[in-house]
Amino acid sequence: MKTDLKSIIERVIADFEFSTGEKADANQVIEALIGAFSGANHAIYRYIDNRLNQMFPALADEDWLKIWASITKTPRLDNEAIDSWRKRINAALAGRNRFGRTEDLIAWGLLYDDVTFVYVQSNTPENGITTLVLGSNDILSDARKSTLLDEISENMHEGTFLMLKQSEPQPVNFEITADAQYRQLIESALSKFIKNTNGEADAQITIAKIHAQIESVTDVYTLHQPAQKITAQNSKHLVLGVITWQ
């Protein structure tokens, strides 16, 4: 059933004319009463729709998100966009039965806009220690790390101590011979490839995969360095370093 004002007016007019056998537009008073009645019904429908929306964080307005945040213990962060806040509230509702599995920790970490990848370095709740490594395009302040630590820790096994580390960049340098017209495209392909390798401990890039990226641009080149696979060191993530062109 349509609940827009035009549809409501049409239904009221049809009901009136069917029950009375008279035309609604034959009397200005009747027209006015139909308009007022239809307007009141429309307002009621809008109110009901609004109340129903507030029952779901995905549809709730900002005032009701504050209520959901109180229920889920998900306060809004400083300068946090409403969509990011809404996403964390939804995740808190969906994850109320989670207890700190590896996949849960990754999901919780990725809820934040300033976290680009997450991996669990060690997850041994039986020993009371879990170490989570976060990757970010920016250096996270101590205050920001503390906030993340507190919020993620709320979901952990009782008695488990969560350690939070920020991954540090580990540059991968290249030495390549290639025509100048292909260099920017090669650099872009390598940068994207290396970025996509992160997200797990001991991320690696092999020489074969490096060749595959360059060959997606041109097959006329020589790769001088690196000469062997690159593995991310402890609590580090791989980033494109310096490309020396020959």
Side-chain angles (χ1 to χ4, degrees), residues 227-240:
Q228 57 187 6
K229 70 179 180 181
I230 306 294
T231 302
Q233 299 174 13
N234 188 31
S235 300
K236 291 189 176 183
H237 62 279
L238 303 177
V239 296
L240 180 64

Side-chain angles (χ1 to χ4, degrees), residues 30 45 108 135:
I30 297 299
Y45 280 123
W108 291 327

Side-chain angles (χ1 to χ4, degrees), residues 177-187 217-218 220 245-246:
T177 298
D179 288 344
Q181 61 180 320
Y182 299 120
R183 292 177 180 179
Q184 186 173 354
L185 292 173
I186 292 173
E187 181 175 348
V217 177
T218 178
V220 182
W245 299 102
Q246 295 187 2

Side-chain angles (χ1 to χ4, degrees), residues 188-222:
S188 177
L190 289 174
S191 177
K192 183 178 180 180
F193 162 64
I194 293 173
K195 182 178 180 180
N196 289 338
T197 63
N198 295 309
E200 59 184 45
D202 303 323
Q204 292 184 344
I205 56 174
T206 64
I207 300 303
K209 290 183 178 180
I210 293 173
H211 279 295
Q213 298 306 309
I214 300 175
E215 288 170 4
S216 69
V217 177
T218 178
D219 56 3
V220 182
Y221 72 95
T222 302

Side-chain angles (χ1 to χ4, degrees), residues 140-153 164:
L140 300 176
S141 66
D142 289 341
R144 185 74 182 103
K145 290 179 184 177
S146 178
T147 299
L148 291 169
L149 184 63
D150 289 344
E151 294 194 6
I152 297 174
S153 293
L164 199 63

Side-chain angles (χ1 to χ4, degrees), residues 88-123:
R88 292 195 300 108
I89 291 172
N90 276 322
L93 283 171
R96 281 183 294 179
N97 294 323
R98 294 175 174 175
F99 297 100
R101 299 170 300 175
T102 295
E103 56 267 35
D104 299 333
L105 290 166
I106 292 172
W108 291 327
L110 290 175
L111 289 174
Y112 302 91
D113 290 340
D114 52 355
V115 176
T116 54
F117 68 85
V118 180
Y119 66 83
V120 179
Q121 192 173 68
S122 62
N123 190 12

